[in-house]
Amino acid sequence: MAENSSSSPSVSQRPTPTPTAITDLEIDALAHCASFLSLQDVSNMAMTCRFLRAVAYSDQIWQRLFRERWPTLGQLESSQKLLGSREAYLARLSNLLQFKFNDPIMIDYYFGPKPIDHVLLDKNNIIFSQGSTIQMVKTFDARRASTVTYNDHKARITCMRLFPLNETSLFRSDMQARENVLVTSSCDRSIRLWWKGQCQRCFRGHNGPVCSLSDGLLGDAGGKLLASGGEDGTVRLWSLSSSGKRGQQALKSTLFGHEKPVKLLSVPRYKSSLLVSISKDSKVRVWDTIVSASARSSSCVGMATVPGEAVSVRSHESLIYVAAGSSLVAIDLRTMKRVFTAMTHHPKVYSFEILPSKSLVCIGGLDRAMLWDIRRSQQTMKPESISDLVGNVGPVTLLHMDPYKIVTGGPEDPFVHVWEAETGKKTNMLMCCLPEGSSSIAGCSALAINGCQIVVASCTNSQGNLHYRDFTNAADPALPLDDEDDFKFWNLPSCGSGFDCEEEDDDDDNDNDDY
């Protein structure tokens, strides 16, 4: 026993094993393991270190992602393989998001002759209003398209917004995390919150029509507030955490100070308690909604005036951008001083959008839109646009802008124009379908875009039309638009009444969520 124990090595004499890190593995082996990850997980891995980024960029991973996202296309073409699988994936996705194809899924819907005033895209649902009526069209199955009508409002709807469900009292579980609620305002003095096909809350308090709703919610996670502006010149704050179908005790504060109807409301992101309101007489007020509003104007922390009637407002960090009259004005909320004014040399500005990540602003004028670089304009005494997007007809009242594209339209233009966001190069012209036998040309009355999806509303004397297009699985590239006379467009055959779909819908209805 003693002899055996003396011959066995002690614990302290055993060799210490060499630690093994993930970077010690071969790249091919790691790439094989990573090929089972989701696109989001691959993106997260690429941001950890240089070694894992090289793994995440492997062709093996991106070939699998390409096949899963676009199974009908099969393998990469030889020209695409020369780029690399990841570059080919991103190039195709960019082209899809810029609508550079001729063969999207196409569905047209025809309704009554009332104009379509507002339209939203919520995943596979198209939500729009005609007068006092709200309708929701489900597009997940083109062969069995259905519509739901809501008639609770008694007068024309003035504004429609979508907000996350988890910021309201209706949220119950994490399974609902990606769902939205619809909030609408109306000339019947009410604000309604919709979910699961019915009105869940009704807020009343304005002494006249409700003109506007805030573009975001105020406050922190403990209790979100919705702001509304009325014809009575007041701004009212409503709690979305209040219970009860009638929204009892939902009105948290009334802000006085405007003398004219409140047309626009915006929530700056850099401070969640601030609210910007603009009235019809071009007066701008900034409110701190944490401060008590028991006294008149007690929570107003800043005032300014813009030149002309304001048509749109956007906020980024401590700046607000207001399109008014014939110019675009940027105001610093910390000092309430103008820091930037862009003159458009047009009689009137009809619309505008901002892309803060690229410091770009697009302004809709008459017969054209103008693209501005904010940083470059701030360095010159006379700011000028970097690109004129020419080709529109009449006022450009509808304008969408995202990191990939700019989309413009208007009530006198039968086309929707698509441009690259960074270069201003036109990528497509999309023509709306007209009813058979119609003698009038319908322009665009409303527009909504969500990734590769676009829906355009138009109206003739006989009916209102919705034209839905989904480019998610398009495969036929459009020809480059070298001039205005050489273009591809939606030249649709005449359609019958009711729902008419021309191609089968896409099975993957959530592709746009992960780009």
Side-chain angles (χ1 to χ4, degrees), residues 280-350:
K280 197 172 182 179
D281 58 0
S282 307
K283 304 296 183 183
V284 180
R285 285 180 175 266
V286 180
W287 314 85
D288 191 336
T289 57
I290 293 180
V291 179
S292 172
S294 58
R296 297 174 70 90
S297 304
S298 63
S299 60
C300 182
V301 295
M303 293 184 290
T305 303
V306 292
E309 184 176 350
V311 296
S312 184
V313 59
R314 296 289 184 269
S315 57
H316 175 59
E317 295 180 347
S318 62
L319 297 180
I320 58 168
Y321 297 84
V322 184
S326 60
S327 62
L328 176 68
V329 178
I331 300 174
D332 192 327
L333 294 175
R334 296 167 296 186
T335 62
M336 296 307 296
K337 302 293 185 182
R338 293 189 196 177
V339 297
F340 169 77
T341 301
M343 301 300 297
T344 64
H345 308 296
H346 280 251
K348 183 179 179 180
V349 172
Y350 294 94

Side-chain angles (χ1 to χ4, degrees), residues 40-350:
Q40 184 62 59
D41 291 335
V42 171
S43 301
N44 293 339
M45 184 174 72
M47 294 186 289
T48 55
C49 66
R50 293 183 179 179
F51 178 80
L52 291 181
R53 181 175 63 187
V55 175
Y57 285 7
S58 300
D59 283 348
Q60 179 181 351
I61 296 175
W62 289 91
Q63 286 174 6
R64 192 266 303 173
L65 292 172
F66 192 100
R67 290 194 303 269
E68 286 185 356
R69 186 160 192 145
W70 301 293
T72 58
L73 297 182
Q75 299 292 332
L76 290 170
E77 298 178 0
S78 56
S79 59
Q80 294 174 321
K81 290 182 179 179
L82 294 176
L83 291 174
S85 299
R86 176 178 175 272
E87 288 72 18
Y89 180 101
L90 297 177
R92 172 168 168 78
L93 180 59
S94 177
N95 289 338
L96 290 171
L97 291 167
Q98 292 172 342
F99 301 163
K100 292 183 178 180
F101 292 88
N102 297 321
D103 58 340
I105 291 175
M106 302 182 291
I107 313 173
D108 290 327
Y109 308 97
Y110 300 143
F111 302 94
K114 291 183 179 179
I116 297 176
D117 303 309
H118 310 278
V119 63
L120 299 172
L121 268 173
D122 183 22
K123 299 180 179 66
N124 294 307
N125 296 325
I126 303 172
I127 307 168
F128 67 99
S129 68
Q130 286 183 293
S132 62
T133 302
I134 301 170
Q135 297 194 63
M136 178 183 294
V137 180
K138 300 181 182 297
T139 65
F140 62 89
D141 190 341
R143 292 164 296 183
R144 293 182 292 130
S146 61
T147 181
V148 180
T149 303
Y150 311 121
N151 292 310
D152 296 48
H153 281 299
K154 304 306 178 185
R156 181 178 61 88
I157 293 168
T158 57
C159 188
M160 296 171 57
R161 303 283 192 196
L162 288 172
F163 295 113
L165 177 67
N166 59 12
E167 296 184 346
T168 73
S169 60
L170 300 173
F171 182 71
R172 293 293 181 269
S173 68
D174 291 339
M175 296 181 62
Q176 302 169 333
R178 299 181 64 183
E179 294 189 33
N180 295 318
V181 295
L182 173 67
V183 181
T184 59
S185 61
S186 169
C187 290
D188 64 5
R189 307 185 182 187
S190 72
I191 301 165
R192 293 182 180 270
L193 188 150
W194 310 83
W195 184 57
K196 283 190 174 298
Q198 61 182 344
C199 178
Q200 302 287 342
R201 303 283 188 273
C202 180
F203 306 139
R204 295 184 183 273
H206 283 282
N207 297 323
V210 185
C211 303
S212 56
L213 298 172
S214 56
D215 57 5
L217 299 178
L218 295 150
D220 52 26
K224 294 289 187 176
L225 298 177
L226 170 72
S228 62
E231 193 84 22
D232 55 7
T234 66
V235 176
R236 298 179 188 253
L237 306 180
W238 311 87
S239 172
L240 295 186
S241 300
S242 62
S243 59
K245 181 140 185 166
R246 295 182 179 271
Q248 294 95 333
Q249 301 179 347
L251 180 60
K252 296 302 178 182
S253 186
T254 301
L255 309 179
F256 298 91
H258 284 294
E259 298 177 355
K260 297 293 183 180
V262 179
K263 288 187 57 180
L264 300 169
L265 293 168
S266 182
V267 179
R269 303 303 179 192
Y270 92 105
K271 189 175 181 182
S272 61
S273 65
L274 288 187
L275 175 68
V276 178
S277 62
I278 305 177
S279 57
K280 197 172 182 179
D281 58 0
S282 307
K283 304 296 183 183
V284 180
R285 285 180 175 266
V286 180
W287 314 85
D288 191 336
T289 57
I290 293 180
V291 179
S292 172
S294 58
R296 297 174 70 90
S297 304
S298 63
S299 60
C300 182
V301 295
M303 293 184 290
T305 303
V306 292
E309 184 176 350
V311 296
S312 184
V313 59
R314 296 289 184 269
S315 57
H316 175 59
E317 295 180 347
S318 62
L319 297 180
I320 58 168
Y321 297 84
V322 184
S326 60
S327 62
L328 176 68
V329 178
I331 300 174
D332 192 327
L333 294 175
R334 296 167 296 186
T335 62
M336 296 307 296
K337 302 293 185 182
R338 293 189 196 177
V339 297
F340 169 77
T341 301
M343 301 300 297
T344 64
H345 308 296
H346 280 251
K348 183 179 179 180
V349 172
Y350 294 94

Side-chain angles (χ1 to χ4, degrees), residues 260-510:
K260 297 293 183 180
V262 179
K263 288 187 57 180
L264 300 169
L265 293 168
S266 182
V267 179
R269 303 303 179 192
Y270 92 105
K271 189 175 181 182
S272 61
S273 65
L274 288 187
L275 175 68
V276 178
S277 62
I278 305 177
S279 57
K280 197 172 182 179
D281 58 0
S282 307
K283 304 296 183 183
V284 180
R285 285 180 175 266
V286 180
W287 314 85
D288 191 336
T289 57
I290 293 180
V291 179
S292 172
S294 58
R296 297 174 70 90
S297 304
S298 63
S299 60
C300 182
V301 295
M303 293 184 290
T305 303
V306 292
E309 184 176 350
V311 296
S312 184
V313 59
R314 296 289 184 269
S315 57
H316 175 59
E317 295 180 347
S318 62
L319 297 180
I320 58 168
Y321 297 84
V322 184
S326 60
S327 62
L328 176 68
V329 178
I331 300 174
D332 192 327
L333 294 175
R334 296 167 296 186
T335 62
M336 296 307 296
K337 302 293 185 182
R338 293 189 196 177
V339 297
F340 169 77
T341 301
M343 301 300 297
T344 64
H345 308 296
H346 280 251
K348 183 179 179 180
V349 172
Y350 294 94
S351 59
F352 100 99
E353 284 292 344
I354 183 172
L355 190 60
S357 62
K358 299 182 182 296
S359 299
L360 294 177
V361 167
C362 191
I363 302 173
L366 187 63
D367 297 329
R368 69 185 61 202
M370 293 146 282
L371 189 61
W372 300 71
D373 187 320
I374 301 173
R375 292 169 300 185
R376 185 186 303 181
S377 298
Q378 289 176 334
Q379 297 171 358
T380 62
M381 296 298 294
K382 293 183 178 181
E384 295 290 340
S385 61
I386 60 174
S387 179
D388 280 5
L389 312 183
V390 182
N392 296 272
V393 177
V396 180
T397 57
L398 303 173
L399 199 157
H400 167 89
M401 191 177 188
D402 61 40
Y404 296 91
K405 60 185 173 293
I406 299 168
V407 183
T408 60
E412 300 177 13
D413 196 337
F415 292 92
V416 173
H417 306 259
V418 187
W419 325 75
E420 291 183 359
E422 291 189 345
T423 65
K425 179 182 177 181
K426 185 177 286 189
T427 65
N428 216 333
M429 291 177 65
L430 313 177
M431 184 175 183
C432 299
C433 174
L434 297 178
E436 186 176 3
S438 173
S439 60
S440 61
I441 297 179
C444 302
S445 60
L447 172 74
I449 293 171
N450 181 20
C452 297
Q453 300 171 309
I454 177 173
V455 59
V456 179
S458 62
C459 184
T460 64
N461 295 331
S462 58
Q463 59 191 2
N465 313 309
L466 281 178
H467 313 290
Y468 171 80
R469 304 294 179 264
D470 186 352
F471 287 82
T472 301
N473 288 314
D476 179 22
L479 295 176
L481 302 184
D482 296 328
D483 55 62
E484 294 185 27
D485 295 325
D486 181 20
F487 57 82
K488 292 286 183 180
F489 56 88
W490 300 342
N491 189 10
L492 309 183
S494 59
C495 313
S497 59
F499 301 109
D500 189 7
C501 46
E502 303 182 3
E503 293 192 27
E504 291 186 2
D505 200 358
D506 177 22
D507 292 330
D508 188 359
D509 46 52
N510 289 318

